[in-house]
């Protein structure tokens, strides 16, 4: 092949290459075109080998043309790549776009957060079982959160709750309640037995967020006080609750435990419905998920509210509402409840 033929071959190949680059419609297509026009088997690569047969001057001229051709193809590739990148980005943004404008269309109106829905459902179940609903403050005093619950200052059980204190009054006297149990005390101060109340609400702990913990979460407290209340009444109530809330397929168990304000105390667990008892990260590989604590009201708690423990008996329980929501809907990470991604929230 003469040097003239070679040069016009290079020019034709380049023109054709640039046209194909410009015509590529996706980044994948562009990658294949790149291999075809600049790769090992490309026409320009074969032409390069033919340069060896030319004399020195012609080789220099043809070599220059070849280099210019490569540069032109590389520039065309870079231009097309950035155009396609921008298009792909715009397309992705369009797909992920969330329309947050308010709408009068009733089909697009917002709804209660999953935790609120769960709290409402729990209240309905317990009201159906004869309980009334009580509330207490989120900022509490040491007396209600600990002292009256048989946890005096320096009691080792205070370590069970990593407490956030409020900078008010004497140091460590005002705090963000670590559980809903202080509402037990407020209810017994305000009303005489017989009592059957539930108290849902927000609680705070210095816990690090992970798949089953949040530093701000929700509990529902239950308290029953009457004459001759037994542990059997507690177990029966929790069993009735489990069936009413989860349906008949979910089993629960009571495991001996310790709480300063109940004696005896137990942990209330249900089968992990994410892994159906096989073990997964939500249940810490145990197959069971701890939903709450319970037990018979401790005599010292009755004494703190001037009720005679010889006359009155009772049981109490405290469940994690967020964990109940996870279990009922098969959500495997509690942090989803706080992230507030509309695509997650819309599903409930
Ligand atoms: C208590 O808070 C006791 N007050 C419960 C109680 C009430 C016992 C009445 C006896 C009588 P505990 O710290 O185990 O117990 O918490 C109760 C439930 O709250 C847990 O089982 C769990 O479901 C939920 N919970 C605890 N910590 C967290 C957290 N960091 N994030 C989400 N849920 C939590």
């Amino acid at each position: 092949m003469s040097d003239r033929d070679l040069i016009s071959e290079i020019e034709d190949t380049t023109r054709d290459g640039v046209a194909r680059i410009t015509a590529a419609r996706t980044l994948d297509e562009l990658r294949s075109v790149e291999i075809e026009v600049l790769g090992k088997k490309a026409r320009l690569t074969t032409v390069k080998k033919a340069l060896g047969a030319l004399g020195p001057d012609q080789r220099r001229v043809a070599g220059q043309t070849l280099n210019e051709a490569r540069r032109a193809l590389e520039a065309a590739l870079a231009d097309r790549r950035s155009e396609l990148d921008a298009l792909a980005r715009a397309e992705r943004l369009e797909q992920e776009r969330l329309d947050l404008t308010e709408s009068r269309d009733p089909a697009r109106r917002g709804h209660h957060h999953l935790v609120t829905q769960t709290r409402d459902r729990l209240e309905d179940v317990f009201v159906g079982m004869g309980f009334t609903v009580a509330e207490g403050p989120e900022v509490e005093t040491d007396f209600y959160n600990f002292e009256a619950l048989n946890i005096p200052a320096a009691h080792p059980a205070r370590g069970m709750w990593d407490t956030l204190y409020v900078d008010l009054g004497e140091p460590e006297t005002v705090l963000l309640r670590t559980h809903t149990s202080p509402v037990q005390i407020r209810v017994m101060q305000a009303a005489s037995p017989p009592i059957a109340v539930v108290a849902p609400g927000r609680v705070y702990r210095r816990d690090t967020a992970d798949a089953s913990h949040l530093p701000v979460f929700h509990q529902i407290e239950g308290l029953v006080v009457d004459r001759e209340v037994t542990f059997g009444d507690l177990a029966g109530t929790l069993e009735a609750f489990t069936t009413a809330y989860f349906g008949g397929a979910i089993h629960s168990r009571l495991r001996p435990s310790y709480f300063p304000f109940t004696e005896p105390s137990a942990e209330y667990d249900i089968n992990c419905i994410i892994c159906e008892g096989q073990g997964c990260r939500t249940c810490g590989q145990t197959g069971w998920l701890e939903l709450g604590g319970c037990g018979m009201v401790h005599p010292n708690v009755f004494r703190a509210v001037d009720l005679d423990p010889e006359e009155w008996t009772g049981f109490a329980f405290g469940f994690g509402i967020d964990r109940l929501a996870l279990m009922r809907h098969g959500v495997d990470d509690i942090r989803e409840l706080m992230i507030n991604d509309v695509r997650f929230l819309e599903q409930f």
Side-chain angles (χ1 to χ4, degrees):
M1 201 188 272
S2 76
D3 58 334
R4 297 228 162 270
D5 289 346
L6 211 57
I7 286 172
S8 70
E9 162 100 32
I10 294 170
E11 285 167 355
D12 288 350
T13 311
T14 312
R15 241 189 326 275
D16 176 57
V18 170
R20 289 172 59 200
I21 289 167
T22 322
R25 275 164 307 143
T26 64
L27 285 164
D28 280 346
E29 215 177 302
L30 189 65
R31 268 188 286 279
S32 335
V33 174
E34 179 173 13
I35 293 169
E36 284 165 29
V37 299
L38 286 176
K40 281 199 188 104
K41 294 189 184 140
R43 185 76 195 113
L44 283 189
T45 313
T46 4
V47 167
K48 192 173 176 188
K49 288 181 189 144
L51 292 187
L54 300 174
D57 285 349
Q58 288 129 331
R59 196 186 313 145
R60 191 170 41 79
V61 175
Q64 254 168 19
T65 316
L66 195 64
N67 284 343
E68 279 158 23
R70 281 195 81 85
R71 274 199 294 275
L73 288 171
E74 278 161 5
L77 275 165
D79 285 352
R80 188 65 188 146
R81 186 168 294 119
S82 76
E83 277 168 20
L84 290 175
D85 263 339
L87 273 174
R89 205 167 32 246
E91 218 165 86
R92 205 166 49 240
L93 283 177
E94 184 55 33
Q95 273 167 10
E96 290 176 0
R97 193 166 71 97
L98 294 175
D99 184 359
L100 298 176
T101 44
E102 271 190 48
S103 169
R104 285 174 184 272
D105 174 2
R108 304 213 51 222
R109 220 179 270 153
H111 60 267
H112 281 153
H113 188 279
L114 177 57
V115 171
T116 310
Q117 291 179 35
T118 307
R119 192 197 63 203
D120 290 349
R121 216 171 281 137
L122 289 166
E123 283 181 14
D124 286 350
V125 170
F126 282 114
V127 166
M129 291 166 69
F131 286 75
T132 54
V133 179
E135 275 190 348
E138 290 174 21
V139 179
E140 265 297 5
T141 61
D142 180 90
F143 173 78
Y144 286 101
N145 198 82
F146 290 125
E147 193 87 33
L149 288 166
N150 196 31
I151 320 171
H155 191 289
R158 288 200 178 201
M160 289 167 78
W161 296 277
D162 268 331
T163 310
L164 289 156
Y165 288 94
V166 177
D167 191 8
L168 249 183
E170 291 290 304
E172 303 200 351
T173 52
V174 182
L175 46 83
L176 296 179
R177 65 177 178 189
T178 58
H179 50 180
T180 43
S181 297
V183 188
Q184 289 185 34
I185 305 300
R186 292 186 176 274
V187 166
M188 287 190 282
Q189 283 179 335
S192 313
I195 290 170
V197 293
V198 286
R202 196 179 286 136
V203 301
Y204 304 80
R205 290 185 196 176
R206 279 195 292 125
D207 274 350
T208 305
D210 62 23
S212 54
H213 292 86
L214 289 173
V216 179
F217 59 101
H218 304 79
Q219 290 187 337
I220 183 162
E221 192 79 11
L223 174 71
V224 169
V225 182
D226 205 339
R227 294 188 173 89
E228 292 167 19
V229 177
T230 65
F231 197 88
D233 295 324
L234 167 61
T237 303
L238 293 186
E239 185 60 31
F241 161 75
T242 309
T243 310
Y245 186 73
F246 289 104
I250 292 292
H251 305 292
S252 67
R253 67 175 185 188
L254 290 180
R255 207 163 23 95
S257 185
Y258 169 75
F259 293 99
F261 33 90
T262 46
E263 181 58 37
S265 302
E267 236 26 280
Y268 164 72
D269 298 343
I270 63 159
N271 288 141
C272 177
I273 63 170
I274 306 283
C275 63
E276 294 177 338
Q278 299 303 303
C280 67
R281 72 185 180 128
T282 304
C283 61
Q285 312 302 331
T286 62
W288 292 93
L289 204 89
E290 173 201 311
L291 289 183
C294 59
M296 303 306 292
V297 179
H298 195 288
N300 286 349
V301 174
F302 282 135
R303 288 188 191 105
V305 291
D306 289 330
L307 285 179
D308 180 1
E310 296 300 321
E311 183 179 0
W312 299 107
T313 46
F315 65 76
F317 55 84
F319 301 156
I321 295 183
D322 315 74
R323 290 203 192 159
L324 282 163
L326 296 192
M327 287 297 99
R328 190 165 154 145
H329 296 281
V331 178
D332 71 353
D333 193 323
I334 201 167
R335 289 167 292 195
E336 295 284 5
L337 300 175
M338 283 288 156
I339 291 170
N340 271 348
D341 186 330
V342 178
R343 291 164 298 186
F344 170 80
L345 298 175
E346 268 175 354
Q347 297 173 51
F348 307 98

